[in-house]
Amino acid sequence: MKQVLDAQKQLFNDQVTKSYAFRFQQLSKLKEAILKRQNDITQALKKDLGKSSFEAYATEIGYTLKSIQFIQKRLKTWMNRKKVKTPFFQLLTTSYIQPEPKGQILIIGPFNYPFQLVIEPLIGAIAAGNTVFLKPSEFTPNVSKIIEKIIKETFDSSYIHVVQGGVEVTQALLDLSFDHIFFTGSTKVGQIIYEKAAQKLIPVTLELGGKSPTIVDETANIKVTARRIVYGKFLNAGQTCIAPDYIYVQQNVKDTLEKALIDTLKEFYPNYDNLTHIVSDQHVDRLKKLINKKKVLYQGNIIDKKIEPIIMHDVTWDDDVMKDEIFGPILPILTFENLDEVISVLKTKPKPLALYVFSESKSNIKRIFNQLSFGNGAINDTIMQVVNPHLPFGGVGHSGIGNYHGKASFDVFSHMKTYVKHSTKFDPAIAYPPYTKKKEKLIKNILK
Ligand code: NAD
C-alpha cells in the first residue's frame, strides 16, 4: 500500500492529475465504466443486500451518473482562480482564491449504499484533481469486488487504487500519510478515524449517522405524511443514514397516523418483493433485540435476512429501540401534547444527521427549525434533501464533520489557496519600521 501511495504522490507531483482536460476525461471514463458494468453492479447489490433493480438504479447507479454529469458541466468554472475584493488601504493590490487539489485522498465506505457512497466522493476527488485510495465495505463483498474491477479496468493504480479488507486493513491504511480522509460510517468508528488522523494532522470529512427525528403535528396532511414517511423509512429496509429513525406525533392525530401508516405499507409493499435485506445475521440479531412485543402495532415476517416492516407505538425514551440509531425497518412512534416538550427533549440529544417536520403550521415549523440543530432535513418530506446537488450534504456534531455533493464535493477535496499580488510601482513606508509617532497615528486612523 505504501508503494502504491508513493506512486500516486509521484503522479500528483508530476502534475498529471491537475489539468481540466485530465479531470474531465477521467470523469467521462468513470461514467463509461459504470454504464458498461451497470448490470454487474445491479446483480452484486441483489446478492449482497437483496436490493431491487429500481432502488439499485435510483439510489446507486443513476445517482452517480447524474452526479458526474452535474460536475462535468460546472468543473471549469469551479477550477478558475477567483478575484476577490481588497481593502482600500492595500493600494495597488489584487487578491485571489485559487482552488488546488489536496493530494492523496483516502475514501472509506459503509455497507448500506456500498456503491454510491464510495463512488460519489470519488467523483468529487477526481474533479478536484487528486489521486485516490478506495476502501469499500467488507460486508458487501460482491459490490466491493465489482468496484475493484471497474477501477482496475479503467484507471492505473498510481491514480486510483482499491484496497479490500476489514478493520485491520483500514487501520493499516490510517498509518499512511494521506492529505484527506473521507469516511462514511458509524459515529463510533468515525471517532477512531478522527483520533488516528489527528496524529498526523490529516483533515477529515466524517459522514456519520444517528437518530433522525420525524415530528408530525396536528396540522399535518396525514395521508401524504404517511406515504412520505413509509417511503423514507423502508427504502433500503431502513438502512439509510437519513432515514426517519422514529416518529414524534401529536397525541390527537396519533391514531389517524397509525392507520395511515399501515394502509400505506400494504399499498407500497403488497408482498414485500421489493424490500431490501438486512446486510448480515449479526444486524438481524441486533434488530430483533429492539422489538418489544408488547408495543408492536404492526409486524410482517422475519425470513432469514429479510425483516418486513415493524411499527411500534406507545414507545418512550426508556425503550431499547430509542437507545441507538436503529438502521433497520423498525419504526417506533412516540407522542407529545405540545411542541415545546419535543423541542426541549431534542435539545438534550446529540444533533441528528437529519430532521423531518410534517406540518401545515408555519409557526410550528419556524419554532422547530430556529431552535434545533441538525445536519440536513425536510419540511413535509423525507430523504429528498439528499437528491438536490445544489445542497451540501453532511452532519453536525455527533452526526458528522464537513459536507459534500455538487460544488461541495469539489470544495471538500480542494485547498483554497489564497494570495495577494502587489504592484512595485508605489511603495509607501507607512507599515515599515522605524515606527514613528506620525506613522502610529496614521495606522490608528486606518485600522479603526
Ligand atoms: P461502520 O462504521 O461499521 O464501517 C464503515 C467502514 O469503516 C467500513 O469500511 C469498515 O471496514 C471500517 N471500519 C469498521 N471498524 C473499523 C475500525 N475499528 N477501525 C477502522 N475502520 C473500521 O459503518 P457501517 O455499519 O458500514 O455503516 C452504517 C453506519 O454508517 C450508520 O451509522 C449510518 O448512519 C452511517 N452512514 C452515514 C452516511 C452519511 O452520509 N452520513 C451514509 C451511510 C451510512
Side-chain angles (χ1 to χ4, degrees):
M1 292 195 300
K2 168 91 172 62
Q3 274 177 357
V4 179
L5 187 63
D6 287 346
Q8 293 200 348
K9 271 194 197 340
Q10 188 63 49
L11 189 83
F12 184 78
N13 287 333
D14 289 344
Q15 307 300 313
V16 175
T17 65
K18 299 181 187 174
S19 73
Y20 167 70
F22 181 86
R23 301 183 199 191
F24 190 92
Q25 194 190 12
Q26 306 317 305
L27 288 171
S28 299
K29 280 166 72 176
L30 180 62
K31 188 174 174 179
E32 287 310 311
I34 296 171
L35 282 168
K36 188 176 134 200
R37 291 278 174 204
Q38 58 176 311
N39 288 340
D40 298 334
I41 302 165
T42 308
Q43 275 167 28
L45 286 163
K46 185 91 198 160
K47 276 189 200 152
D48 287 338
L49 287 160
K51 222 175 250 209
S52 67
S53 55
F54 181 92
E55 281 192 21
Y57 193 84
T59 65
E60 308 239 23
I61 301 165
Y63 191 95
T64 49
L65 292 173
K66 195 79 196 146
S67 175
I68 293 175
Q69 189 194 61
F70 182 90
I71 288 187
Q72 277 188 316
K73 210 167 152 189
R74 295 159 178 83
L75 182 58
K76 202 167 200 170
T77 315
W78 296 346
M79 284 177 68
N80 283 342
R81 179 179 77 164
K82 278 163 207 66
K83 194 171 158 185
V84 295
K85 285 183 182 170
T86 308
F88 77 95
F89 54 82
Q90 288 182 273
L91 293 174
L92 300 182
T93 299
T94 36
S95 307
Y96 300 97
I97 302 173
Q98 171 71 67
E100 65 171 13
K102 284 192 170 171
Q104 281 60 67
I105 309 294
L106 170 61
I107 295 170
I108 303 170
F111 73 78
N112 59 332
Y113 292 87
F115 183 78
Q116 191 244 110
L117 291 172
V118 166
I119 302 299
E120 181 69 15
L122 172 67
I123 295 167
I126 294 175
N130 301 281
T131 68
V132 187
F133 265 55
L134 294 178
K135 212 300 282 174
S137 173
E138 67 275 29
F139 293 108
T140 47
N142 292 292
V143 176
S144 296
K145 252 183 248 157
I146 190 68
I147 290 174
E148 186 170 3
K149 198 167 184 179
I150 288 174
I151 298 299
K152 268 193 176 156
E153 63 193 15
T154 315
F155 305 108
D156 195 85
S157 67
S158 64
Y159 177 45
I160 302 171
H161 181 57
V162 177
V163 178
Q164 304 283 11
V167 176
E168 275 165 33
V169 170
T170 316
Q171 287 184 341
L173 275 170
L174 294 173
D175 286 330
L176 301 176
S177 290
F178 288 96
D179 296 290
H180 191 99
I181 299 174
F182 189 101
F183 171 81
T184 306
S186 59
T187 301
K188 197 179 92 216
V189 178
Q191 282 167 336
I192 297 170
I193 306 282
Y194 202 11
E195 232 176 282
K196 219 42 194 167
Q199 289 166 14
K200 289 178 185 260
L201 278 182
I202 299 174
V204 293
T205 305
L206 301 176
E207 296 284 343
L208 311 176
K211 288 186 89 61
S212 297
T214 301
I215 303 167
V216 183
D217 77 8
E218 60 190 354
T219 69
N221 175 335
I222 296 295
K223 188 162 184 231
V224 175
T225 299
R227 291 168 75 83
R228 294 183 182 168
I229 293 177
V230 166
Y231 168 75
K233 178 69 185 189
F234 300 105
L235 177 78
N236 211 28
Q239 300 165 111
T240 303
C241 56
I242 51 168
D245 189 271
Y246 58 93
I247 296 176
Y248 236 134
V249 62
Q250 201 150 13
Q251 183 67 44
N252 52 351
V253 288
K254 169 187 178 270
D255 293 343
T256 328
L257 179 70
E258 288 182 355
K259 183 177 178 312
L261 288 169
I262 295 170
D263 290 347
T264 308
L265 265 178
K266 288 179 181 161
E267 181 195 338
F268 283 10
Y269 298 100
N271 47 21
Y272 293 112
D273 274 356
N274 286 324
L275 193 73
T276 303
H277 300 171
I278 302 306
V279 70
S280 64
D281 294 332
Q282 189 197 342
H283 276 287
V284 172
D285 291 343
R286 176 185 67 78
L287 288 164
K288 279 183 183 166
K289 288 191 190 125
L290 303 181
I291 306 166
N292 176 348
K293 287 202 177 88
K294 286 188 202 133
K295 297 194 172 183
V296 167
L297 169 73
Y298 176 90
Q299 175 160 9
N301 298 309
I302 301 179
I303 308 154
D304 298 327
K305 283 195 270 187
K306 192 166 178 177
I307 300 186
E308 293 173 0
I310 296 161
I311 302 177
M312 283 165 59
H313 64 167
D314 302 326
V315 172
T316 70
W317 285 98
D318 294 328
D319 286 295
D320 289 342
V321 76
M322 294 306 290
K323 298 285 177 263
D324 288 308
E325 179 184 15
I326 299 168
F327 220 58
I330 304 175
L331 179 58
I333 301 175
L334 290 81
T335 52
F336 68 91
E337 294 284 350
N338 80 63
L339 200 56
D340 291 332
E341 233 177 279
V342 177
I343 293 173
S344 57
V345 170
L346 292 184
K347 276 182 186 167
T348 67
K349 307 288 175 195
K351 294 175 182 177
L353 180 58
L355 184 141
Y356 304 111
V357 181
F358 287 86
S359 171
E360 298 298 324
S361 156
K362 280 188 188 150
S363 69
N364 281 358
I365 294 168
K366 204 165 155 192
R367 268 157 76 200
I368 295 166
F369 270 56
N370 282 351
Q371 293 196 53
L372 296 175
S373 177
F374 50 90
N376 52 84
I379 299 161
N380 293 325
D381 212 341
T382 63
I383 312 287
M384 287 304 146
Q385 71 276 18
V386 81
V387 178
N388 181 355
H390 297 282
L391 290 176
F393 175 81
V396 56
H398 272 68
S399 55
I401 296 174
N403 43 48
Y404 73 133
H405 287 185
K407 170 79 160 52
S409 286
F410 174 83
D411 289 347
V412 73
F413 295 114
S414 300
H415 162 61
M416 296 301 157
K417 187 193 265 174
T418 61
Y419 61 93
V420 295
K421 186 177 166 205
H422 197 169
S423 163
T424 54
K425 300 246 160 49
F426 177 61
D427 195 29
I430 173 180
Y432 300 146
Y435 304 125
T436 61
K437 282 284 164 211
K438 194 176 158 195
K439 283 186 186 175
E440 194 173 326
K441 201 173 158 197
L442 201 59
I443 202 86
K444 280 181 179 164
N445 258 328
I446 294 172
L447 300 182
K448 66 179 181 191

